[in-house]
Amino acid sequence: MSRAIHPAPLRRGTAAACAALLFVALASGTATGADPTPSPSPTPTASTPPPSGDTGLGGLDPRITAIMRKPDYRNAQWGLLQTDPDDGRVVHSLFPEQFFIPGSTAKLISVSGPWHTLGADHRFVTPLYAVGERDGATLTGDLDLVAQGDLTMGGRTRPDGTFAYTDLDHTYANDFPGATLTPENPLAGIDQLARQVRDSGITRVDGDVIVDSRLFLPDPELVPTPTPLIINDNLIDLMTTPGNRPGADARLDWRPKVAPYEVTSAVKTVAAGKPTAITVTATDGGTRIRLTGTIAAGSEPLLRTSPIGDPAAFGRVALIEALERTGVHVTADPSGANPAGRLPRDYDGRPRVAAYTSPPYAQYAKLILKVSHNLGANLGICLLASTAHSNQCPAGFPVLADFLDQAGVDREQAQLMDGRGGNPADRATPQVLVQMLAYWQRTPDARLFREALPILGVDGLLAENCRGCPARGKVFAKTGAAVGGDALNDRLAVGAITIAGYLDKGGGRYDTFYAGVNGASTPGADPTEVLTIANDLAMIAAYLQESSSP
């Protein structure tokens, strides 16, 4: 499991906050602990010859070499690779076959596997079966919802079938302010299933509603841990708005509102300019949530989240409530655990009374890549396992390995223990990530994959970066970060900041590229100091796009 190291002066969770900060101003991936980095080689200088196969800094835009030679990076190691897609020619190369901590650039690999294996047009169909005897409008028995690993269950789907996302996703809300919600109903898929049951003629269920989560077993080594049924990313959203004057109670709204979850708030409004500090405490398996603290008058609403402790039980209650809203009465008590022991061995011969059909997988991939969705990236490993008829998520890695072999990607240049790039063991060379990117350029989905990545200065986690530079809109890239604490020196240890993707060089040419630095550190413990390093990486990508090939 990944872990973060925090120096004493920093609040708990600072490592995650630092990484997320990068993503607003640069882009991103996930924060992990400042895990052991590869032994750093000296940052190349004019007197340091590159190893065999490296072109060193020769021929690079001087603005790039100036960044790499900053005194701040004297103990760090840079990696760089840029290739011409037409003939594979190496344009720039610096330690291309050395392992670097990937952060969320690992998602280029973990998303590619399900995209290829399932297909860009794959749709998740989540069925609801009637298990029992039907007499007119009454079902004597159970309604069984068979979870299929649908990441959103309609909770982000726009009317046109595309996914809604914000540049800073609600899954990062606890790390720092600025995360926002999409307007879509997180219970949309559940509501649709309930309406279909009513349309089938059933108005009474003398029995229970059960969520069948046997598709795969949750694997605690994957953090966050995917589950077969996911509603609202397995999170309760908590939005606090300041009152109209100091001393007033803050206003609270939360979603999705499903019993037995209860949310209370004791947050007070303080004078403008005073600190905003809200603590979320969850008890009783996460079903009792309380917010305490302060929010400054006149400030923007602040989003926090609390995890759903039992996604299957949550989904069961959500569906029972949705059925009741549509006029279908369920006699079972909605409180309590999901009664999985009542599930049949299979559903052969059982009537399917409803089904929710998702948008195509390419939309899921776009969401994961644009906002660096960690749960979705880990879910991909479990979905690969299911294609191998296994309910053990680790069985997805051999499927991923087979795909990489077929794609001509040297998988021995990658080490992965999860899908998000957050495990301490995760490593990847610049070359393997560039190979993965080059693979997609040879496929019919080349444009679809490229445009699923954050676009510099335009959208996703690169939306706010380089908005006024010539490279705006011409860099399509996934970024990553690994940030932890250095208690010895009261600073932050930046294990890695990386970026990899495509450079629009004009005329339909898109160079593949990687740039990254391992083993950097900040001058002090202020998380915002990481932004300087993040901005350096963003500008390197921009300068690569702007520069003419040597």
Side-chain angles (χ1 to χ4, degrees):
M1 296 175 63
S2 60
R3 63 194 186 282
I5 304 171
H6 311 296
L10 300 181
R11 69 174 177 86
R12 184 174 180 83
T14 293
C18 291
L21 264 166
L22 312 183
F23 313 152
V24 181
L26 162 65
S28 162
T30 39
T32 65
D35 305 304
T37 62
S39 300
S41 300
T43 299
T45 65
S47 60
T48 306
S52 176
D54 293 309
T55 61
L57 302 185
L60 272 176
D61 187 309
R63 295 173 295 180
I64 296 176
T65 58
I67 291 173
M68 291 182 170
R69 288 171 173 162
K70 283 184 177 180
D72 294 346
Y73 300 119
R74 63 184 179 277
N75 300 125
Q77 176 175 323
W78 286 92
L80 184 71
L81 185 60
Q82 178 184 349
T83 65
D84 183 330
D86 294 334
D87 54 12
R89 178 178 62 89
V90 173
V91 180
H92 297 296
S93 175
L94 188 66
F95 302 116
E97 296 183 356
Q98 178 154 332
F99 275 136
F100 286 81
I101 298 172
S104 281
T105 54
K107 291 183 175 76
L108 293 170
I109 295 174
S110 63
V111 171
S112 293
W115 186 317
H116 169 83
T117 304
L118 299 175
D121 295 327
H122 174 80
R123 295 175 186 266
F124 298 89
V125 179
T126 303
L128 186 66
Y129 291 96
V131 180
E133 298 298 325
R134 175 131 176 220
D135 183 7
T138 299
L139 171 67
T140 302
D142 301 328
L143 289 174
D144 292 357
L145 177 64
V146 185
Q148 298 295 307
D150 186 328
L151 178 60
T152 67
M153 281 296 293
R156 292 179 185 255
T157 307
R158 299 187 183 103
D160 65 359
T162 61
F163 275 4
Y165 61 88
T166 60
D167 293 330
L168 185 57
D169 194 61
H170 77 141
T171 54
Y172 286 106
N174 290 348
D175 294 329
F176 65 101
T180 55
L181 296 174
T182 64
E184 282 67 30
N185 174 16
L187 297 176
I190 294 295
D191 288 345
Q192 188 179 124
L193 287 167
R195 289 193 296 269
Q196 290 181 34
V197 173
R198 180 64 180 83
D199 291 344
S200 76
I202 297 174
T203 59
R204 180 180 176 86
V205 178
D206 283 335
D208 215 326
V209 170
I210 310 174
V211 173
D212 186 339
S213 292
R214 293 178 292 188
L215 182 67
F216 59 81
L217 298 173
D219 186 344
E221 292 300 312
L222 299 175
V223 182
T225 303
T227 51
L229 181 67
I230 297 171
I231 296 175
N232 200 43
D233 300 314
N234 290 341
L235 295 172
I236 301 293
D237 294 318
L238 310 159
M239 186 70 81
T240 299
T241 303
N244 55 12
R245 57 178 176 78
D249 292 338
R251 297 186 296 274
L252 172 69
D253 193 15
W254 60 282
R255 71 175 203 182
K257 292 183 173 69
V258 172
Y261 280 71
E262 295 182 3
V263 181
T264 58
S265 174
V267 176
K268 293 291 186 180
T269 306
V270 295
K274 293 289 185 179
T276 292
I278 295 177
T279 299
V280 178
T281 304
T283 57
D284 292 347
T287 62
R288 299 295 181 268
I289 302 169
R290 184 165 177 78
L291 286 75
T292 57
T294 59
I295 185 168
S299 62
E300 292 295 319
L302 183 69
L303 178 64
R304 290 286 185 263
T305 62
S306 186
I308 293 171
D310 186 339
F314 183 88
R316 170 183 173 269
V317 178
L319 183 52
I320 290 174
E321 292 180 348
L323 288 165
E324 295 285 352
R325 289 194 297 270
T326 61
V328 180
H329 177 62
V330 179
T331 61
D333 182 354
S335 64
N338 182 54
R342 293 167 59 100
L343 292 171
R345 183 171 164 181
D346 57 51
Y347 296 94
D348 290 347
R350 315 282 188 183
R352 191 175 84 172
V353 294
Y356 174 73
T357 301
S358 77
Y361 180 77
Q363 284 293 311
Y364 290 80
K366 183 177 182 179
L367 169 67
I368 295 167
L369 294 170
K370 290 288 188 186
V371 308
S372 204
H373 198 287
N374 296 322
L375 180 64
N378 281 342
L379 175 64
I381 302 299
C382 301
L383 294 175
L384 289 177
S386 69
T387 68
H389 309 291
S390 173
N391 68 350
Q392 305 288 326
C393 290
F397 285 105
V399 181
L400 180 59
D402 288 345
F403 157 66
L404 294 174
D405 290 344
Q406 296 170 27
V409 176
D410 183 2
R411 59 183 168 90
E412 292 189 357
Q413 293 194 49
Q415 298 175 173
L416 292 180
M417 284 294 293
D418 64 7
R420 73 181 182 107
N423 190 283
D426 291 348
R427 296 290 185 272
T429 68
Q431 187 166 323
V432 75
L433 294 175
V434 165
Q435 287 176 351
M436 188 75 266
L437 293 160
Y439 160 79
W440 285 107
Q441 290 179 306
R442 303 188 296 269
T443 73
D445 288 338
R447 178 177 177 179
L448 195 61
F449 183 84
R450 181 176 67 249
E451 294 181 353
L453 299 172
I455 303 173
L456 188 68
V458 176
D459 67 10
L461 289 170
L462 279 169
E464 298 303 318
N465 193 264
C466 213
R467 293 179 69 89
C469 67
R472 181 180 186 272
K474 299 177 182 178
V475 176
F476 305 76
K478 187 75 197 73
T479 64
V483 182
D486 176 6
L488 178 66
N489 298 292
D490 190 21
R491 63 184 180 182
L492 295 175
V494 184
I497 298 179
T498 56
I499 184 168
Y502 303 99
L503 306 168
D504 182 352
K505 304 296 284 187
R509 171 182 160 184
Y510 293 90
D511 282 13
T512 52
F513 84 100
Y514 165 97
V517 62
N518 271 193
S521 56
T522 60
D526 184 353
T528 61
E529 293 173 348
V530 182
L531 288 173
T532 301
I533 304 171
N535 289 334
D536 283 346
L537 265 293
M539 294 315 300
I540 286 175
Y543 295 151
L544 287 173
Q545 188 281 324
E546 296 171 19
S547 302
S548 299
S549 299

